[in-house]
């Protein structure tokens, strides 16, 4: 089959882009379409896209649109409806807040949407910026979002099939779009064996974009209160603010390549995660895959990943008191219980392996195209 992959925009490398790379591995001859393509924003991951056939939209050639694509998102219908997929048998859209599912295909073309999440700002979930607290932004955003929310629903009726990246996303597809979907968890690179140093583990680790909805400030507050060492990997718009909160036991490492992360995983006690309404949480699975127990906020799709008190701990309230209680429980584990939790963490991660993703996607596509 002649196949096309459609992705919101390729300007940074995160969980959605990992899914796109995995889809391209499954369909190596597929052409790729996207709203914006900015290789320099991909860092060390840019080489993954070098030999791809990538077609960016007309908006990619307009400099101010490429830079301010979020506040100017009202152009989205014109972006996605401008592509022509008449020559393709199969189109798979990798869609999130930029709504690439809004493409138009002919009846003879099978369109499968892999949905990472509906646009959070439309449906009152936390976003990277608390834009509602600024009067002018609130007026502008409310007007723009109203029209786009209508288009979001209309465009959600276009795909022939939906794949949800978690049961949490599946619920949202049913609630907001009135569509059925099948859950196929995102692919995560999970080593078959984990290697851990015998050194004393003396720090906790988190890897995340430094944005409001990730609640890194809560992790920092807990580190300040309990005086434990916390290493933070990642960058983002809130970095300056978060650095101002950090005490002497908190260390910012910036963005790091995958090779350097292995050593950090091997010497960490546990992985901390406080994101709200995260539909899946690839960073959580990556930590589990390294045999690292995870202490995470019980929200969104995270409870689908972590088996409480087996592969980690789930805390119920978004507060340092609730997080601190889980950390104290974790610190009280015996050496034998800790090693058992590490083994359980790795075993749990294998459910979300790249091999499992490839197998289930191919099975789904075969069924859909029949």
């Amino acid at each position: 089959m002649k196949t096309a992959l459609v992705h919101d925009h390729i300007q940074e490398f995160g969980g959605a882009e990992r899914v796109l790379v995995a889809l391209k591995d499954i369909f190596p001859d597929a052409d790729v379409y996207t709203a914006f393509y900015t290789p320099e924003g991909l860092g060390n991951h840019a080489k993954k896209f070098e030999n791809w056939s990538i077609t960016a939209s007309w908006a990619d050639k307009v400099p101010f649109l490429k830079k301010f694509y979020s506040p100017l998102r009202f152009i989205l219908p014109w972006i996605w409806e401008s592509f022509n997929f008449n020559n393709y048998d199969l189109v798979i859209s990798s869609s999130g807040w930029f709504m690439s599912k809004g493409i138009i295909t002919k009846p003879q073309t099978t369109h499968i949407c892999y949905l990472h999440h509906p646009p959070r700002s439309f449906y009152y979930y936390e976003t990277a910026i608390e834009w509602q607290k600024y009067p002018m932004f609130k007026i502008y955003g409310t007007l723009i979002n109203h029209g786009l929310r209508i288009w979001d629903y209309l465009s959600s009726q276009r795909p022939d099939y939906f794949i949800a990246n978690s049961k949490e996303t599946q619920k949202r597809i049913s609630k907001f779009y009135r569509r059925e979907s099948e859950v196929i968890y995102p692919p995560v690179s999970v080593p078959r064996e984990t290697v851990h140093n015998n050194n004393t583990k003396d720090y906790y680790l988190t890897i995340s974009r430094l944005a409001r909805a990730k609640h890194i400030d809560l992790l920092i507050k807990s580190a300040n209160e309990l005086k434990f060492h916390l290493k933070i990997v990642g960058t983002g718009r809130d970095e300056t603010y978060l650095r101002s909160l950090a005490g002497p036991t908190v260390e910012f490492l910036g963005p790091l390549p995958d090779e350097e992360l292995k050593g950090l995983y091997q010497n960490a006690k546990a992985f901390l995660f406080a994101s709200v309404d995260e539909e899946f949480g690839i960073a959580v699975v990556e930590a589990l895959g390294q045999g690292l127990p995870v202490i995470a906020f019980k929200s969104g799709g995270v409870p689908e990943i972590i088996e409480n008190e087996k592969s980690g701990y789930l805390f119920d309230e978004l507060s340092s008191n609730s997080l601190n209680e889980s950390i104290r429980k974790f610190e009280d584990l015996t050496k034998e219980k800790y090693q058992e939790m590490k083994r359980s963490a790795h075993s749990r991660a294998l459910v979300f392996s790249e091999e499992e993703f490839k197998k289930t996607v191919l099975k789904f596509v075969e069924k859909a195209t029949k």
Side-chain angles (χ1 to χ4, degrees):
M1 293 183 296
K2 188 170 176 56
T3 303
L5 303 176
V6 187
H7 190 67
D8 281 357
H9 52 82
I10 307 173
Q11 302 197 93
E12 58 183 5
F13 195 84
E17 287 67 41
R18 291 181 187 276
V19 171
L20 176 63
V21 170
L23 289 171
K24 190 68 165 67
D25 287 340
I26 298 172
F27 304 99
D29 297 327
D31 299 321
V32 176
Y33 293 81
T34 188
F36 305 103
Y37 179 44
T38 310
E40 56 269 25
L42 301 171
N44 296 318
H45 301 284
K47 58 181 178 291
K48 292 182 172 71
F49 302 83
E50 283 178 351
N51 297 317
W52 293 15
S53 171
I54 299 177
T55 300
S57 73
W58 58 266
D60 188 68
K61 301 176 178 64
V62 184
F64 71 88
L65 284 183
K66 193 168 185 175
K67 186 175 182 180
F68 300 105
Y69 62 92
S70 180
L72 297 176
R73 68 183 73 182
F74 59 82
I75 65 172
L76 284 176
W78 289 280
I79 288 178
W80 299 123
E81 293 174 4
S82 68
F83 288 117
N84 187 332
F85 297 100
N86 291 352
N87 296 326
Y88 292 95
D89 304 300
L90 171 67
V91 178
I92 302 177
S93 56
S94 166
S95 182
W97 74 274
F98 223 56
M99 300 179 281
S100 64
K101 68 181 184 306
I103 59 171
I104 296 174
T105 57
K106 293 287 187 180
Q108 64 269 24
T109 302
T110 301
H111 176 192
I112 300 171
C113 174
Y114 188 99
L115 194 76
H116 305 283
H117 56 81
R120 295 188 183 99
S121 61
F122 295 177
Y123 305 108
Y124 309 103
Y125 293 99
E126 278 201 19
T127 54
I129 301 175
E130 195 177 3
W131 54 271
Q132 297 94 334
K133 72 178 184 179
Y134 304 103
M136 291 302 295
F137 288 170
K138 184 175 182 179
I139 294 171
Y140 176 78
T142 301
L143 292 173
I144 294 301
N145 284 351
H146 174 70
L148 283 177
R149 186 162 51 245
I150 295 171
W151 186 79
D152 183 48
Y153 176 79
L154 293 174
S155 67
S156 72
Q157 308 309 304
R158 293 174 180 173
D160 298 296
Y161 302 95
F162 269 101
I163 298 174
N165 70 343
S166 67
K167 293 177 183 177
E168 174 67 23
T169 300
Q170 185 180 52
K171 292 175 185 175
R172 298 182 193 182
I173 291 172
S174 176
K175 180 179 180 179
F176 302 126
Y177 301 150
R178 302 292 190 264
R179 296 291 304 273
E180 293 183 354
S181 61
E182 184 169 321
V183 175
I184 299 179
Y185 291 114
V188 182
S189 179
V190 179
R192 284 292 160 187
E193 302 290 337
T194 57
V195 179
H196 291 275
N197 297 335
N198 294 320
N199 302 334
T200 302
K201 312 297 190 296
D202 65 347
Y203 62 85
Y204 290 84
L205 176 67
T206 191
I207 302 172
S208 173
R209 283 185 294 109
L210 305 185
R212 185 176 73 99
K214 303 297 183 180
H215 291 281
I216 306 299
D217 56 335
L218 176 62
L219 307 184
I220 293 173
K221 184 178 180 181
S222 186
N224 292 343
E225 291 174 354
L226 297 184
K227 308 299 182 188
F228 63 78
H229 291 280
L230 172 64
K231 293 182 184 289
I232 300 172
V233 176
T235 187
R237 65 176 75 244
D238 286 358
E239 183 170 349
T240 301
Y241 166 68
L242 293 171
R243 284 181 179 273
S244 72
L245 302 178
T249 63
V250 178
E251 183 180 1
F252 289 82
L253 302 179
L256 295 177
D258 292 345
E259 307 80 62
E260 293 186 37
L261 291 178
K262 292 178 182 178
L264 282 174
Y265 282 127
Q266 290 173 10
N267 291 300
K269 283 184 179 181
F271 189 88
L272 302 183
F273 191 79
S275 185
V276 172
D277 295 324
E278 192 83 15
E279 292 77 15
F280 181 69
I282 284 182
V284 171
V285 182
E286 289 178 335
L288 293 175
Q290 297 293 331
L292 198 59
V294 176
I295 301 172
F297 180 47
K298 189 177 180 180
S299 174
V302 171
E304 299 175 44
I305 303 170
I306 300 170
E307 300 166 298
N308 194 31
E309 299 189 5
K310 187 174 180 181
S311 53
Y313 288 95
L314 295 170
F315 59 96
D316 295 322
E317 297 178 6
L318 197 64
S319 68
S320 60
N321 287 338
S322 185
L323 172 56
N324 291 349
E325 183 181 346
S326 291
I327 290 175
R328 290 190 184 99
K329 287 181 183 178
F330 177 76
E331 292 284 353
D332 288 339
L333 289 174
T334 64
K335 184 176 181 180
E336 291 74 20
K337 286 288 186 182
Y338 176 64
Q339 293 300 323
E340 183 181 333
M341 185 172 281
K342 288 166 67 65
R343 288 191 293 271
S344 295
H346 179 256
S347 177
R348 180 62 181 158
L350 292 174
V351 174
F352 310 100
S353 68
E354 292 174 332
E355 292 81 4
E356 185 66 22
F357 177 80
K358 180 176 181 178
K359 181 178 68 176
T360 51
V361 166
L362 284 172
K363 184 178 179 180
F364 186 93
V365 169
E366 182 181 3
K367 180 176 66 175
T369 52
K370 277 184 178 179

Coordinates of all heavy atoms in Angstrom, one line a residue, residues 31 65 67 83 87 111 115 117 122 143 162 185-186 195 231 233 237 245-246 262 270 284 312:
D31 N 5.6 8.4 3.1 CA 5.9 9.8 3.0 C 5.4 10.5 4.3 O 4.4 10.0 4.9 CB 5.2 10.5 1.8 CG 5.7 9.9 0.5 OD1 6.9 9.6 0.4 OD2 4.9 9.7 -0.4
L65 N 4.6 32.8 11.3 CA 3.7 31.7 11.7 C 4.4 30.5 12.3 O 3.9 29.9 13.3 CB 3.0 31.2 10.4 CG 1.8 32.0 9.8 CD1 1.2 31.3 8.6 CD2 0.8 32.3 10.8
K67 N 7.0 30.7 14.1 CA 7.5 31.1 15.5 C 6.3 31.2 16.4 O 6.4 30.8 17.6 CB 8.2 32.4 15.4 CG 8.9 32.8 16.7 CD 9.7 34.0 16.6 CE 10.4 34.4 17.9 NZ 11.2 35.6 17.8
F83 N -3.6 19.8 2.3 CA -2.8 18.7 1.8 C -3.7 17.8 0.9 O -4.9 17.7 1.1 CB -2.3 17.8 3.0 CG -1.1 18.4 3.7 CD1 -1.3 18.8 5.0 CD2 0.1 18.7 3.1 CE1 -0.2 19.3 5.8 CE2 1.1 19.3 3.8 CZ 1.0 19.6 5.1
N87 N -3.6 10.1 -3.7 CA -2.8 9.0 -4.2 C -2.4 7.9 -3.2 O -1.6 7.0 -3.5 CB -1.5 9.5 -4.9 CG -1.8 10.4 -6.1 OD1 -2.8 10.1 -6.8 ND2 -1.0 11.4 -6.3
H111 N -8.0 6.1 6.6 CA -7.4 7.1 7.5 C -7.5 6.6 8.9 O -8.6 6.5 9.5 CB -8.1 8.5 7.4 CG -7.5 9.5 8.3 ND1 -8.2 10.7 8.5 CD2 -6.4 9.5 9.1 CE1 -7.5 11.4 9.4 NE2 -6.4 10.7 9.8
L115 N -4.2 9.0 18.3 CA -4.5 10.2 19.1 C -3.7 10.2 20.4 O -3.9 9.3 21.2 CB -5.9 10.4 19.4 CG -6.3 11.8 19.9 CD1 -6.3 12.8 18.7 CD2 -7.6 11.8 20.6
H117 N -3.7 12.9 22.4 CA -4.7 13.6 23.3 C -5.5 14.6 22.6 O -5.0 15.2 21.6 CB -4.0 14.3 24.5 CG -2.9 15.3 24.1 ND1 -3.2 16.5 23.7 CD2 -1.6 15.2 24.0 CE1 -2.1 17.2 23.4 NE2 -1.1 16.4 23.5
F122 N -9.0 23.2 25.1 CA -10.4 23.2 24.7 C -11.3 22.6 25.8 O -12.5 23.0 25.9 CB -10.6 22.4 23.4 CG -10.0 23.0 22.2 CD1 -10.1 22.3 21.0 CD2 -9.3 24.2 22.2 CE1 -9.5 22.8 19.8 CE2 -8.7 24.7 21.1 CZ -8.8 24.0 19.9
L143 N -12.3 33.2 22.5 CA -12.9 33.3 21.2 C -12.3 32.4 20.2 O -13.1 31.7 19.4 CB -12.7 34.8 20.7 CG -13.4 35.9 21.4 CD1 -13.0 37.3 20.9 CD2 -15.0 35.7 21.3
F162 N -9.9 5.2 15.1 CA -9.1 5.9 16.1 C -8.3 4.8 16.9 O -8.8 3.8 17.3 CB -9.9 6.6 17.1 CG -10.2 8.1 16.7 CD1 -11.4 8.4 16.1 CD2 -9.2 9.0 16.9 CE1 -11.6 9.8 15.8 CE2 -9.4 10.4 16.6 CZ -10.7 10.7 16.0
Y185 N -0.7 1.2 23.4 CA 0.2 2.0 24.1 C 1.4 2.4 23.3 O 1.9 1.7 22.4 CB 0.7 1.3 25.4 CG -0.4 1.1 26.4 CD1 -0.8 -0.2 26.7 CD2 -0.9 2.2 27.1 CE1 -1.8 -0.4 27.7 CE2 -1.9 2.0 28.0 CZ -2.4 0.7 28.3 OH -3.3 0.6 29.3
P186 N 2.0 3.6 23.5 CA 3.1 4.1 22.7 C 4.3 3.2 22.9 O 4.4 2.5 24.0 CB 3.4 5.5 23.3 CG 2.1 5.9 24.0 CD 1.5 4.6 24.5
V195 N 21.1 -3.1 33.9 CA 22.4 -3.2 34.6 C 22.5 -2.0 35.6 O 22.2 -0.9 35.3 CB 23.6 -3.0 33.6 CG1 24.9 -3.0 34.3 CG2 23.5 -4.1 32.5
K231 N 17.9 15.3 40.9 CA 18.5 15.7 39.6 C 17.4 15.9 38.6 O 16.5 15.0 38.4 CB 19.5 14.7 39.1 CG 20.8 14.6 40.0 CD 21.7 13.5 39.4 CE 22.9 13.4 40.3 NZ 23.8 14.5 40.3
V233 N 16.4 16.6 34.6 CA 16.9 16.6 33.3 C 15.8 17.2 32.4 O 14.6 16.8 32.5 CB 17.2 15.2 32.8 CG1 17.6 15.2 31.3 CG2 18.3 14.6 33.6
R237 N 10.1 26.6 29.4 CA 9.8 28.0 29.7 C 9.8 28.3 31.1 O 10.0 29.5 31.5 CB 8.4 28.3 29.1 CG 7.3 27.6 29.7 CD 5.9 28.1 29.1 NE 5.7 27.6 27.8 CZ 5.6 28.3 26.7 NH1 5.7 29.6 26.8 NH2 5.3 27.8 25.5
L245 N 13.4 28.4 42.9 CA 12.8 27.7 44.1 C 13.8 26.7 44.6 O 13.6 26.3 45.8 CB 11.6 26.9 43.6 CG 10.4 27.7 43.0 CD1 9.3 26.8 42.6 CD2 9.9 28.7 44.0
A246 N 14.8 26.3 43.9 CA 15.6 25.2 44.2 C 16.6 25.4 45.4 O 17.2 26.5 45.4 CB 16.4 24.7 43.0
K262 N 21.6 6.8 30.6 CA 21.7 5.4 31.2 C 22.5 5.5 32.5 O 22.0 4.8 33.4 CB 22.5 4.6 30.2 CG 21.7 4.3 28.9 CD 22.4 3.4 27.9 CE 21.6 3.2 26.6 NZ 22.4 2.4 25.6
A270 N 15.1 6.4 42.7 CA 13.8 6.2 42.1 C 13.5 7.4 41.2 O 14.3 8.4 41.2 CB 12.7 6.2 43.2
V284 N 7.8 7.8 32.3 CA 7.6 6.9 33.4 C 8.0 5.5 33.0 O 8.7 4.7 33.7 CB 6.1 6.9 33.9 CG1 5.8 5.8 34.8 CG2 5.8 8.3 34.5
G312 N 6.3 0.7 42.1 CA 6.5 2.1 42.6 C 5.3 2.5 43.5 O 4.6 1.7 44.1

